C-alpha cells in the first residue's frame, strides 16, 4: 500500500464553501489531523493531499480544497486551483455547511456531473442545521446520493464512507482472479454441475460460466460432470485433476468422493473472491459455530427470482443452518435491494453469491455489517460449514482458512479488518 504510486490510487476530492467543514471531514475520514481546522473561513489555501489505505477500496488519495466562495484576487487563485482538482478526481464529495445547499454547491455538482465524475453530497454540521425533506427529495429525483453528518462530533462518518463506496467507479475496483491462479497450463479441472430444479434449462449459471472461461483463458482442461458421475470420471483420468469445483448443494458428497490429495472447493466460494472481500466472508462463516436456537439470521438474495420448490435461499439454507445450530432459527429472507440499514438484530448475515450485482454492492453490504459488528458470510461458505467440510473447501485459500478459524473464536476480527 505504501509503495502504490499516486497515479494508481483512487482520488477523492472534497469540495464546498469556506468553513463548510471539508478539512474536519477529511480528518475524520482518515483518522488523522492532516488539514488545519479553524472557525476562520479560508483556512485551507492550496489543495492538501493525503494518501492512505481505505478498506475495502484499497490505496486512495484524499484531496482537501479551498472554498469555492473565496473572495479577492488571492481567493480567485485559490478557487482556480480547486477547479483544477475537480478535473482530476475519481469521486467528488460536495460538503454542505450549515448555510445549506446553494449556488456554489450546485456549481460544483454541475461541474462534476459534466465531467462524468461520481459524487456524494455530504450535509455536514447537522448539529447546527439539517437539510429539509424537499431538498433531499430533489436530490433523489436528480439521481444524486446524499448523507447527513456532523464531522466535528464524529457523527455520520460511517455513513459518509458507505456513501463513498457506493459512488466509486467499478473500474477502480480491481477484480481478483476467479480460478485461473489455482491452476497451470495443461492442468485438468473437474467441474461438478448438478442438474436439478434450480438448474436453468438449456444453459449454465454464471459462476459455472465464469469458471469455464477462466480455465480456457489459462489453457487448462475442464471436465464437466454431474455429481453422480464424479467417482467414475476421477477413475478414468490417467492423471489426477489439479482441482475439483462443485455446486455448494453437493459439497458434502463431492468432498467425500474426492481423494484428500486432490484440492476441492465450490463455485460459490470462488464467487466470494470476485464479489466481495473473501477474508471477511470467511471470518463471518466462523460465526456459525456460535449460532444457537432462536438466533435471528438474515438471508440476503441479490436477485428477485420467484422462489422455487425447495429453494436454496428460502428453504434449504434455513433448514441446514437450523440443523447445524441444533434448533429452529428466526430467519428473515430479503431479496433485491431490500437490505436493512440496521443489522444489529441479526446474529449472522448470509449473502448469496452476488451473480446479478457488482462487487462494489457486496462490499458495501459487508462494510455495513462489519461496522455494526454483525458477521456476514456467503451461501457457499455457510453451506460448507453446515455440511462439515468448510476446512476442506477452503484448503486452496490458506488466508481465508485462517480467517475462518479466527472467526470461530470472535467476530471482532471481521470488524478490525474493515
Amino acid at each position: 500500500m505504501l509503495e502504490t504510486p499516486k497515479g494508481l490510487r483512487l482520488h477523492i476530492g472534497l469540495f464546498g464553501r469556506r468553513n463548510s467543514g471539508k478539512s474536519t471531514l477529511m480528518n475524520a475520514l482518515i483518522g488523522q489531523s492532516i488539514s488545519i481546522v479553524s472557525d476562520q473561513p479560508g483556512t485551507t489555501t492550496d489543495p492538501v493531499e493525503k494518501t492512505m489505505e481505505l478498506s475495502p477500496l484499497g490505496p486512495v488519495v484524499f484531496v482537501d480544497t479551498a472554498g469555492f466562495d473565496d473572495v479577492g484576487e488571492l481567493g480567485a487563485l485559490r478557487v482556480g486551483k480547486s477547479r483544477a482538482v475537480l478535473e482530476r478526481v475519481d469521486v467528488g464529495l460536495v460538503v454542505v455547511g450549515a448555510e445549506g445547499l446553494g449556488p456554489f454547491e450546485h456549481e460544483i455538482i454541475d461541474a462534476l456531473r459534466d465531467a462524468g465524475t461520481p459524487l456524494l453530497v455530504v450535509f455536514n454540521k447537522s448539529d447546527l442545521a439539517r437539510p429539509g425533506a424537499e431538498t433531499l427529495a430533489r436530490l433523489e429525483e436528480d439521481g444524486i446520493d446524499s448523507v447527513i453528518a456532523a464531522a466535528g462530533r464524529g457523527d455520520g462518518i460511517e455513513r459518509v464512507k458507505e456513501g463513498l463506496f457506493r459512488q466509486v467507479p467499478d473500474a477502480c475496483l480491481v477484480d481478483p482472479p476467479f480460478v485461473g491462479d489455482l491452476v497451470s497450463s495443461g492442468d485438468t479441472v473437474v467441474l461438478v454441475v448438478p442438474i436439478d430444479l434450480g438448474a436453468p434449462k438449456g444453459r449454465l449459471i454464471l459462476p459455472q460460466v465464469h469458471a469455464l472461461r477462466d480455465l480456457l483463458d489459462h489453457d487448462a482442461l475442464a471436465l464437466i460432470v454431474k455429481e453422480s458421475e464424479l467417482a467414475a470420471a476421477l477413475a478414468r483420468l490417467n492423471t489426477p485433476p489439479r482441482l475439483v469445483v462443485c455446486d455448494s448443494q453437493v459439497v458434502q458428497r463431492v468432498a467425500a468422493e474426492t481423494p484428500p490429495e486432490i484440492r476441492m472447493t465450490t463455485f460459490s466460494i470462488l464467487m466470494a473472491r470476485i464479489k466481495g472481500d473473501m477474508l471477511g466472508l470467511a471470518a463471518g462463516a466462523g460465526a456459525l459455530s456460535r449460532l444457537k436456537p432462536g438466533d435471528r439470521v438474515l438471508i440476503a438474495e441479490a436477485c428477485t427470482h420467484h422462489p422455487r420448490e425447495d429453494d436454496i435461499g428460502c428453504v434449504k439454507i434455513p433448514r441446514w443452518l437450523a440443523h447445524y445450530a441444533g434448533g429452529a432459527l428466526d430467519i428473515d429472507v430479503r431479496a433485491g435491494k431490500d437490505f436493512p440499514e440496521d443489522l444489529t438484530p441479526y446474529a449472522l448475515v448470509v449473502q448469496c453469491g452476488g451473480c446479478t450485482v457488482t462487487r462494489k454492492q457486496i462490499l458495501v453490504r459487508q462494510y455495513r455489517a462489519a461496522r455494526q459488528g454483525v458477521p456476514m458470510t456467503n451461501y457457499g461458505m455457510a453451506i460448507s460449514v453446515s455440511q462439515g467440510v468448510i476446512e476442506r473447501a477452503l484448503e486452496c485459500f490458506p488466508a481465508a482458512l485462517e480467517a475462518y478459524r479466527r472467526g470461530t473464536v470472535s467476530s471482532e476480527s471481521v470488524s478490525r479488518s474493515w
Side-chain angles (χ1 to χ4, degrees):
M1 185 274 289
L2 294 176
E3 298 176 353
T4 304
K6 278 189 179 181
L8 298 179
R9 293 173 179 265
L10 179 79
H11 282 60
I12 304 165
L14 292 89
F15 308 99
R17 293 187 233 182
R18 292 175 295 168
N19 213 27
S20 61
K22 300 184 298 299
S23 299
T24 303
L25 178 60
M26 187 177 90
N27 289 342
L29 287 169
I30 65 178
Q32 302 177 39
S33 295
I34 299 298
S35 287
I36 299 174
V37 176
S38 170
D39 290 334
Q40 179 68 35
T43 303
T44 302
T45 54
D46 292 330
V48 176
E49 295 188 355
K50 173 59 181 176
T51 58
M52 67 170 297
E53 179 85 4
L54 185 63
S55 182
L57 302 181
V60 302
V61 177
F62 278 104
V63 187
D64 186 16
T65 64
F68 266 66
D69 60 337
D70 214 338
V71 295
E73 184 177 345
L74 186 58
L77 294 175
R78 294 170 179 167
V79 173
K81 289 190 175 183
S82 296
R83 291 187 188 279
V85 175
L86 275 171
E87 299 174 358
R88 61 181 176 87
V89 296
D90 300 297
V91 182
L93 297 181
V94 182
V95 185
V96 183
E99 59 279 345
L101 198 65
F104 288 105
E105 289 78 20
H106 283 295
E107 179 185 354
I108 299 169
I109 291 172
D110 290 343
L112 289 168
R113 299 189 87 177
D114 288 345
T117 303
L119 66 99
L120 174 71
V121 174
V122 180
F123 288 98
N124 197 21
K125 300 191 176 183
S126 61
D127 51 329
L128 302 178
R130 297 177 69 87
E134 184 179 342
T135 298
L136 296 175
R138 190 180 307 115
L139 288 175
E140 186 175 358
E141 289 175 4
D142 291 339
I144 299 173
D145 197 2
S146 66
V147 295
I148 299 174
R153 303 196 314 187
D155 295 343
I157 300 304
E158 302 303 332
R159 288 194 296 271
V160 175
K161 288 183 180 180
E162 188 173 319
L164 177 60
F165 299 156
R166 289 195 296 267
Q167 298 307 318
V168 172
D170 292 336
C172 294
L173 293 173
V174 178
D175 289 334
F178 191 70
V179 66
D181 62 319
L182 302 177
V183 300
S184 300
S185 176
D187 283 343
T188 298
V189 177
V190 178
L191 305 179
V192 184
V193 179
I195 302 299
D196 54 18
L197 289 176
K201 186 175 179 60
R203 59 188 176 88
L204 300 175
I205 61 175
L206 190 59
Q208 297 160 2
V209 174
H210 267 315
L212 277 171
R213 177 55 196 261
D214 207 21
L215 292 172
L216 289 172
D217 287 341
H218 288 81
D219 299 321
L221 309 177
L223 173 61
I224 306 177
V225 300
K226 293 188 291 187
E227 68 276 20
S228 57
E229 301 166 347
L230 174 61
L234 292 175
R236 292 175 187 172
L237 291 173
N238 294 326
T239 303
R242 178 73 170 178
L243 179 68
V244 173
V245 184
C246 69
D247 187 281
S248 295
Q249 298 183 65
V250 295
V251 65
Q252 190 176 48
R253 176 175 179 175
V254 170
E257 294 186 0
T258 302
E261 65 271 15
I262 300 175
R263 297 183 300 171
M264 61 83 57
T265 190
T266 74
F267 291 108
S268 185
I269 287 176
L270 292 176
M271 288 294 286
R273 308 179 79 194
I274 65 169
K275 292 293 181 79
D277 171 49
M278 186 183 198
L279 299 187
L281 294 171
L288 269 76
S289 65
R290 300 189 295 277
L291 275 184
K292 57 186 183 300
D295 278 347
R296 194 173 178 187
V297 176
L298 173 65
I299 306 290
E301 285 270 10
C303 59
T304 55
H305 69 273
H306 182 72
R308 307 177 185 89
E309 181 182 352
D310 216 19
D311 186 80
I312 181 69
C314 298
V315 180
K316 289 184 177 179
I317 289 180
R319 183 173 67 226
W320 287 327
L321 293 184
H323 182 266
Y324 185 78
L329 299 167
D330 184 3
I331 302 288
D332 286 347
V333 180
R334 302 290 185 93
K337 297 179 180 179
D338 185 14
F339 192 77
E341 288 286 340
D342 182 12
L343 298 172
T344 55
Y346 298 103
L348 177 69
V349 176
V350 184
Q351 171 69 50
C352 73
C355 298
T356 63
V357 296
T358 65
R359 180 170 182 247
K360 181 170 62 179
Q361 289 171 280
I362 300 299
L363 287 172
V364 167
R365 291 186 174 191
Q366 279 190 262
Y367 177 76
R368 184 182 302 174
R371 70 179 173 84
Q372 295 182 42
V374 180
M376 176 173 166
T377 190
N378 83 339
Y379 278 16
M381 293 191 187
I383 294 171
S384 293
V385 171
S386 70
Q387 302 298 302
V389 294
I390 184 64
E391 298 236 355
R392 178 80 189 277
L394 288 180
E395 191 177 14
C396 302
F397 313 104
L401 179 55
E402 180 58 30
Y404 162 72
R405 289 170 175 166
R406 290 197 307 269
T408 62
V409 178
S410 171
S411 61
E412 290 183 3
S413 59
V414 185
S415 299
R416 282 199 302 268
S417 68
W418 289 73

